[in-house]
Amino acid sequence: MTSTDDAKQTARRRVWDLLEREGVAPPGVHGHIPDFVGKEDAAARLADLEVWQQARVIKCNPDRAQLPVRVRALQEGKLLYMAVPRLATPKPFYLLDPAILEVPFETAATSTGAPEVAPTVGTDDMRPVDLVICGSVAISRPNGVRLGKGAGYSDLEIALLAEAGLVTEETAIATTVHQSQLLDEDLPHDDHDFNVDYAVTPDEAVACAPDRQRPCGIIRANLRPDQLDNIPVLR
């Protein structure tokens, strides 16, 4: 583990501890994208942004914290790509089309409901993405540096889409988080990490100012053996 990895994990633990102390995330939040109190309000605030209103195709993570975001996207008629948890299938995204779904959106947009009703697709079958939504553990308010839970899935999802030309430097990236996850400090990062353009809490929507380019694809030298073993698309 590198010094950057250690610094990231220290910051994650501090935020996880804080969320548990404040009672705004379920006990046992360590190791997870926090399912925070107020996630519905954060999703509503996100939907007020012009970047959301103009987006017709959205890619979102499958975590519970962003379920209200996914449901709202479907309710508003947006095409939704949801990452398969752990990118565990050869085609690593679910295609959720509100025009043809025959079950409630609240069911279809879950990690247990999507496998029953939505096909999986690879990047060859996908449309360009207008807006990416990710889950986060911590966000730096000034520049949008993001810490996830440490597994690297979100970085890989965006890298796969970037390699395919479906996500570009012009594609906005947003996250919904609790106010306690939005930090007024610099956070450690690696070259394969991406910054967010918008951090949205139940209380405010922050337009961050990323100060570096996001990766334009997978940095293969940074892939871990477990990722190569367990993520079919990387093979």
Side-chain angles (χ1 to χ4, degrees):
M1 183 175 287
T2 67
S3 59
T4 301
D5 292 333
D6 287 336
K8 286 181 175 182
Q9 194 62 12
T10 297
R12 290 186 189 104
R13 290 194 190 102
R14 177 158 53 92
V15 172
W16 284 325
D17 288 343
L18 177 61
L19 294 173
E20 287 193 334
R21 284 199 309 272
E22 293 181 340
V24 294
V29 71
H30 281 245
H32 301 282
I33 297 296
D35 185 16
F36 61 93
V37 171
K39 60 186 178 183
E40 295 85 0
D41 293 333
R45 191 173 293 276
L46 171 65
D48 286 337
L49 298 181
E50 183 178 2
V51 69
W52 170 276
Q53 294 169 1
Q54 292 183 348
R56 304 312 307 157
V57 180
I58 287 180
K59 178 265 169 192
C60 191
N61 58 304
D63 298 275
R64 291 180 182 178
Q66 283 68 47
L67 177 59
V69 174
R70 299 192 297 274
V71 171
R72 182 176 285 267
L74 296 174
Q75 289 172 337
E76 295 185 13
K78 302 180 190 294
L79 190 71
L80 176 65
Y81 296 120
M82 185 176 86
V84 174
R86 299 181 178 85
L87 300 175
T89 57
K91 295 183 177 183
F93 299 95
Y94 292 114
L95 168 60
L96 293 163
D97 184 345
I100 62 175
L101 286 172
E102 297 181 350
V103 300
F105 296 154
E106 292 81 0
T107 299
T110 65
S111 59
T112 54
E116 302 298 322
V117 299
T120 57
V121 292
T123 55
D124 289 344
D125 308 310
M126 297 171 66
R127 290 168 51 184
V129 175
D130 299 318
L131 175 64
V132 173
I133 310 297
C134 60
S136 306
V137 173
I139 296 290
S140 174
R141 179 191 291 267
N143 57 12
V145 168
R146 168 191 174 272
L147 294 182
K149 62 186 178 184
Y153 295 118
S154 286
D155 296 322
L156 287 173
E157 291 159 18
I158 290 181
L160 286 168
L161 296 173
E163 279 198 354
L166 301 171
V167 164
T168 71
E169 281 289 328
E170 303 304 314
T171 308
I173 301 177
T175 188
T176 54
V177 291
H178 190 270
Q179 195 70 29
S180 297
Q181 297 172 256
L182 186 59
L183 307 180
D184 294 317
E185 63 189 68
D186 291 331
L187 289 170
H189 60 272
D190 287 301
D191 54 358
H192 58 262
D193 295 325
F194 62 87
N195 297 34
V196 302
D197 301 295
Y198 299 92
V200 184
T201 79
D203 304 317
E204 62 176 328
V206 176
C208 304
D211 52 9
R212 62 193 184 97
Q213 285 191 320
R214 68 181 61 144
C216 59
I218 294 172
I219 302 175
R220 300 188 183 276
N222 291 2
L223 294 175
R224 304 188 306 266
D226 65 293
Q227 292 173 324
L228 291 168
D229 289 342
N230 298 323
I231 300 176
V233 70
L234 295 181
R235 299 197 295 269

